[in-house]
Amino acid sequence: MPDYDIGIVASFRHMIPSYIIDKFRIGAFVVHPSLLPKYRGACPIQHAILNGDTETGVSLISMSKRKFDAGNIILQSHTPINPSATYG
């Protein structure tokens, strides 16, 4: 029987073992600062700006037991990028 209702991580950079993910009754989720599947992994905001994208956003995905940023997309929120935006 699961021990907790829900698990949420952001910018964690470590694989969470399956036996921990399985402890969440509703599920385990990742908040990722990009519109997945584009720009998986590190530095998604910087890549969006450097590539001249006109929008970015945040994705809520289910946590994959095998890969980073590879779960099902649950929800996304879009945000425009100001054309004069820089990162640094």
Side-chain angles (χ1 to χ4, degrees), residues 32 34-41 44 59 61 69-71 73 76:
H32 193 272
S34 78
L35 296 174
L36 292 171
K38 194 172 187 179
Y39 304 129
R40 294 183 188 278
S59 298
I61 62 172
D69 306 331
I73 297 170
Q76 291 185 313

Side-chain angles (χ1 to χ4, degrees), residues 5-9 20-22 24 26-30 61-64:
D5 289 331
I6 191 169
I8 300 175
V9 298
I20 293 176
I21 293 172
D22 292 339
F24 299 99
I26 296 169
F29 303 92
V30 178
I61 62 172
S62 59
M63 189 176 294
S64 170

